[in-house]
Structure formats: structure tokens, C-alpha cells
Amino acid sequence: MVFDGKAVAAKVLQTLAAENAKLKERYGRVPCLSVLLVGEDYGSTRYVASCEKNAQRAGLECKVVRMAETSSEEEVTEAIRRLNEDSSVDGILVQMPLPKHISQERIVETILPDKDVDGVTDRNVSQLWKQRRNDYSRFCVPCTPRSVMRILEESEIDLDGLNTVVIGRSNIVGMPVSKLLMNENATVTVCHSHTKDLAAIVREADVVVAAIGKAKFVGAEMVRNGAVVVDVGINVDETTGKMCGDVDTEAVKDRCKMITPVPGGVGQLTICSLMENTMDCFKRLHNG
Ligand code: NAD
């Protein structure tokens, strides 16, 4: 089965729109996401445009704060401080990458953890590593890992006891995904660029999550029959110039129980998770 991200995303956004309409009745306004975009990176600009479009579909407000590429770290910090204090803003997303002269690490820590919709601040990271079950209502987990879990849930994959392999150990994808899988009682192996005989490890997996950033890295010889494959990668296929994932979908799909395509898979649900996280921040901020 090839996962239909577009259809599932449409369903999620529709549910969110209904919930946000109820929040408006109760609190007089809908949740508001603020996206801070520094510079004009092509991928970031496209992602922010998609945030605006999908916020509208989810019945949320989305305010984009655009700053020049040449903005100083102090100016960006000051913009975040204003958003932290603005009671009409419930969620803050600082679009990465930031220009090289700005420290990503320092900037992230200036976001108020209660408004941190991508779960990147120290407080949210530490809560993720302490929690024993996945309860998204208590604090924000990063959007992409939340979307990976949503895809597995929508595909009715019972993770309990399954052998899962996550390829990639970044703070924003690989590591949080591994913790969320563990909380569902999966057995988790995390592979990375120093892993020996990676293909043999991946071949044993019931569920593979690929978050590497290398076009079509996972080929048919790495995937066993009946495996579930979630492809997080966003790359450009050098031969065709088209977007592709970390998995060679065409070579692998016939042997998979379920596979997510690129485009049309994880990315579709990641934007939904951003909207869900914004709504959850709103609810926490209003209920204390
Ligand atoms: P990253 O560069 O921070 O991390 C990549 C990871 O892959 C590292 O941990 C590294 O050890 C591992 N890796 C690199 N080469 C490897 C190799 N040869 N063998 C095994 N492991 C290897 O990247 P990231 O931010 O985690 O993103 C990964 C991919 O997911 C990228 O393509 C990115 O564009 C994409 N992405 C997609 C979404 C989405 O919503 N769909 C969101 C975030 C990232």
C-alpha cells in the first residue's frame, strides 16, 4: 500500500477546522501561529507559504514575520521576545535554516517553551525524553516525528514488540522518532553514518524510518518483504531533477506492507502536526 498523505492530511485539517471553530466560540478567537522567516531561502519560503495555506484550511490564523537576511542575532531575538509577549500569538515557529551569522542554538532557547510549536526548546526536549507514553496534549513534540507516528497510527500498525529501525539521529527527526517509537513499546535500533553493515540491520526491520537526506539511499536489498517504510527524506534526484525521498520507492514498494511516497507522504502530515501543535499550545495557554 502506498500511503496517501494528501487524503489523510485533508481529513486531519478538516477535523482541526471543526475543533478550531469550537475554540473560537468559546474563547472569541482561533489559535494563532506566528512563523518567523529570516532571509529568502527557497525551501523555507515555499514551506512558509504552505504554512499560510494550510493554516487557513485548519481554521487557524497564521502571521508571518519576515526579516532581512542581514538581520542581526539581537534583532531576531528581539522579534521573538515580542512574539513571546504577544498574547494574541499561541505558537512560534522559527524557520530553519537561519543565516549563518545567527546561532540556531541560542535563538531556539529564546522561544517561550509554552509557544514552541516544533518542540525544540530544552524544556520540551527534556519532557519528551522523560515521558513514558505518547501524550501530545501535555507539551510539543517536533512536528515531523509527530507526523511519522500519525502515519503509523492511520495505517493501523500496532508497534508493540515490533523491530523498528530509524536511519538518522538528528535532534529534529531521528532521535525524537526513536523515543516516540519506544514509547509505543517497539524495539528500536538507531542507525547513522558510523553504523557498520547498515543494510543487514535494516533488512531485519518490521518498520523502517528513513531520515538521512540522501536520495534513494534505501534500496530493495535493504527492505524485507512485508516491511513498513516511512520515508522522511526530501532530496533532489540528480538524474531527473525531481523531488525524491531517502528510499528508492519504485524499487521497494512492491515488497512493502506500507510505504510513504515523496512527495505526498510525511511532508503532508508534518504541516498538519504544526497546526495540531499550535492548537494544543492554545489549549494549554488557555487552560493554564
Ligand atoms: P540531518 O542531516 O540533520 O541528519 C541526517 C542523519 O542521517 C544524521 O544523523 C546522519 O548520521 C545520518 N546519515 C547520513 N549519512 C548516512 C549514511 N550514509 N548512513 C547512515 N546514516 C547516515 O538531517 P535531518 O534534519 O534529520 O533530515 C533528514 C532528511 O529528512 C532530509 O532529507 C530532510 O530534508 C528531511 N526532512 C523532512 C521533513 C518532512 O517533514 N518531510 C522534515 C525534516 C527533515
Side-chain angles (χ1 to χ4, degrees), residues 234-288:
I234 302 175
N235 313 291
V236 176
D237 181 336
E238 282 185 4
T239 330
T240 62
K242 289 189 178 156
M243 189 202 277
C244 72
D246 289 341
V247 179
D248 188 347
T249 316
E250 278 310 307
V252 167
K253 72 176 189 205
D254 288 341
R255 58 175 58 209
C256 295
K257 182 174 176 186
M258 191 279 280
I259 186 167
T260 63
V262 179
V266 174
Q268 292 276 336
L269 272 296
T270 294
I271 205 116
C272 293
S273 298
L274 177 62
M275 305 308 154
E276 277 180 314
N277 279 352
T278 304
M279 190 182 73
D280 290 344
C281 282
F282 176 96
K283 286 182 182 168
R284 282 190 293 272
L285 288 163
H286 282 77
N287 295 330

Side-chain angles (χ1 to χ4, degrees), residues 41-172:
D41 174 77
Y42 177 71
S44 294
T45 309
R46 280 189 56 179
Y47 185 70
V48 171
S50 173
C51 287
E52 288 180 288
K53 191 176 105 196
N54 285 288
Q56 205 176 16
R57 290 176 71 193
L60 291 165
E61 192 184 347
C62 179
K63 293 180 188 168
V64 181
V65 178
R66 291 185 169 80
M67 298 184 75
E69 178 89 27
T70 50
S71 305
S72 67
E73 192 169 316
E74 290 68 32
E75 285 167 328
V76 175
T77 304
E78 177 54 23
I80 294 172
R81 193 192 60 73
R82 279 199 295 273
L83 295 173
N84 286 341
E85 288 177 0
D86 184 343
S87 60
S88 70
V89 170
D90 308 292
I92 302 169
L93 178 76
V94 178
Q95 183 58 38
M96 303 293 172
L98 288 166
K100 289 205 166 52
H101 62 278
I102 299 176
S103 157
Q104 187 167 312
E105 240 170 62
R106 279 196 297 269
I107 285 296
V108 156
E109 284 312 315
T110 62
I111 304 170
L112 192 68
D114 290 334
K115 296 189 179 186
D116 165 25
V117 282
D118 209 11
V120 287
T121 55
D122 284 352
R123 196 183 85 191
N124 284 317
V125 171
S126 115
Q127 281 179 316
L128 170 63
W129 287 91
K130 281 182 187 163
Q131 74 166 351
R132 286 280 169 262
R133 66 187 179 88
N134 295 333
D135 177 357
Y136 302 112
S137 69
R138 288 178 45 229
F139 61 91
C140 277
V141 302
C143 299
T144 303
R146 185 172 180 175
S147 78
V148 170
M149 300 309 287
R150 165 67 77 124
I151 287 167
L152 294 170
E153 192 191 316
E154 290 284 339
S155 310
E156 298 180 354
I157 309 297
D158 179 4
L159 290 161
D160 198 310
L162 289 193
N163 190 10
T164 63
V165 172
V166 179
I167 320 176
R169 57 174 168 180
S170 72
N171 286 337
I172 198 69

